[in-house]
Amino acid sequence: MAALLSPSGTLAAAPAGESLWAKARKRFFRHRLAVLGLAVLGVMVLLAVLAPAIERYSPIELDLASMSQPPSAAHWLGTDTTGRDVWSRIVHAGRVSLSVGLVAVSISTFIGVLVGGISGYAGGRTDMLLMRLTDMVMAFPSLVMIITIAAVLGPSIYNTMLVIGGLTWPGIARLVRGQFLSFREQQFVLAARSIGVPPAQIMFRHLLPNVVGTVTVAATFGMANAILQEASLSFLGLGVQAPTPSWGNMLQDAQSQTILEGMPWLWLAPGLMIALAVLSINFIGDGLRDALDPRSTH
């Protein structure tokens, strides 16, 4: 991503007077799937934000008189086995699942950038120690580790965020380390060192802006992965707990053979929302990757 930035970390001007970020934005909006993903994700976020205003019934209160009703004018997506409105639960679950994905990827990105930046800039023994720590975390299957630690800490939305974020940073760390290793011997860094600029300032003011594009793309894909992992944990009963709805624990409630065959609205809606969220974010990530590629001419 350095080709998008000047050595000082500021945006470089294109020959025709149009900044490279402006060209990247145009390339992104030419990517049809990325634009579609952005639109779908925008609608999902809007539904989550407006959930209290657009809910038709309480997402947690039981209504035994309306149990297991199929979709109708009264209940757009039907009701579950305890009479709770599926539409209300879906939009409120979006707040939880999207929030978990955003917070978890923010934690993993922060740790990954910090570890990778220090490792790549410092080099030597510091680099060796931090990369061996990264290798240790990567050596274990991430989902198995997440399930194990979530079981030890106990199921809750906050533990889910911390566990997913705290165990998914190695990929970003290695990515940032490689970028910093590439940039640290370039002339603008050597010039900053020669005039006594502190290492922390060199890292965060001069080097970090050059990897923002790469990190943004990685974080985008990381958010999709975090949503899937939250759904997996909640499905297993180790994530978000009832009565708080999430797409994962809504699937958990619909895992019996009777529901799978006779009440498909209970698993179709949350399953479709997970698929749409993950696909949309992945499409956006693809668009960002192509838009921020300095070799792209489209």
Side-chain angles (χ1 to χ4, degrees):
M1 307 330 298
L4 293 176
L5 297 165
S6 67
S8 63
T10 58
L11 293 180
E18 183 181 32
S19 74
L20 291 179
W21 282 117
K23 288 189 174 183
R25 185 169 58 251
K26 288 183 178 180
R27 285 196 294 267
F28 177 83
F29 283 104
R30 291 194 196 107
H31 195 297
R32 295 182 180 179
L33 287 178
V35 174
L36 176 62
L38 186 63
V40 172
L41 184 63
V43 171
M44 297 176 76
V45 170
L46 187 63
L47 290 176
V49 171
L50 298 178
I54 62 177
E55 66 179 14
R56 307 197 69 198
Y57 303 90
S58 169
I60 61 174
E61 291 183 5
L62 308 185
D63 182 6
L64 301 183
S66 303
M67 294 188 302
S68 305
Q69 292 186 1
S72 64
H75 298 279
W76 294 342
L77 295 178
T79 61
D80 64 11
T81 54
T82 57
R84 295 174 297 191
D85 184 67
V86 175
W87 163 259
S88 299
R89 288 179 63 77
I90 280 290
V91 294
H92 277 275
R95 306 182 99 188
V96 174
S97 296
L98 293 175
S99 296
V100 169
L102 182 60
V103 173
V105 80
S106 297
I107 293 172
S108 67
T109 301
F110 175 78
I111 297 174
V113 169
L114 188 63
V115 172
I118 294 174
S119 178
Y121 183 77
R125 183 173 297 179
T126 301
D127 179 32
M128 183 189 69
L129 291 174
L130 290 176
M131 284 301 100
R132 296 300 75 76
L133 172 63
T134 303
D135 291 340
M136 287 176 58
V137 177
M138 294 184 73
F140 297 95
S142 60
L143 185 58
V144 174
M145 288 292 294
I146 288 171
I147 291 173
T148 302
I149 295 177
V152 172
L153 294 179
S156 77
I157 184 172
Y158 302 107
N159 287 344
T160 300
M161 294 174 179
L162 290 173
V163 169
I164 295 175
L167 291 175
T168 54
W169 55 266
I172 292 180
R174 294 176 70 89
L175 185 65
V176 172
R177 172 184 176 266
Q179 296 283 308
F180 271 48
L181 285 172
S182 172
F183 289 129
R184 72 175 184 174
E185 301 301 330
Q186 292 195 13
Q187 291 183 354
F188 71 97
V189 176
L190 297 177
R193 286 177 184 165
S194 68
I195 61 175
V197 177
Q201 186 173 342
I202 294 175
M203 287 175 56
F204 293 105
R205 184 174 179 180
H206 298 283
L207 289 177
L208 186 58
N210 285 282
V211 301
V212 166
T214 303
V215 171
T216 300
V217 174
T220 302
F221 290 117
M223 183 173 176
N225 187 49
I227 291 174
L228 280 176
Q229 289 177 332
E230 180 278 322
S232 301
L233 286 177
S234 296
F235 181 78
L236 294 172
L238 298 173
V240 180
Q241 296 296 290
T244 302
S246 81
W247 295 329
N249 64 24
M250 290 182 71
L251 287 175
Q252 181 194 34
D253 295 338
Q255 61 182 316
S256 71
Q257 189 71 21
T258 302
I259 292 176
L260 289 174
E261 294 180 353
M263 291 180 280
W265 62 87
L266 293 185
W267 54 267
L268 273 175
L272 183 61
M273 293 300 283
I274 293 172
L276 284 176
V278 172
L279 280 173
S280 298
I281 295 171
N282 281 336
F283 287 157
I284 293 170
D286 284 336
L288 287 173
R289 182 181 57 200
D290 293 345
L292 296 174
D293 186 351
R295 297 167 296 179
S296 177
T297 57
H298 302 292

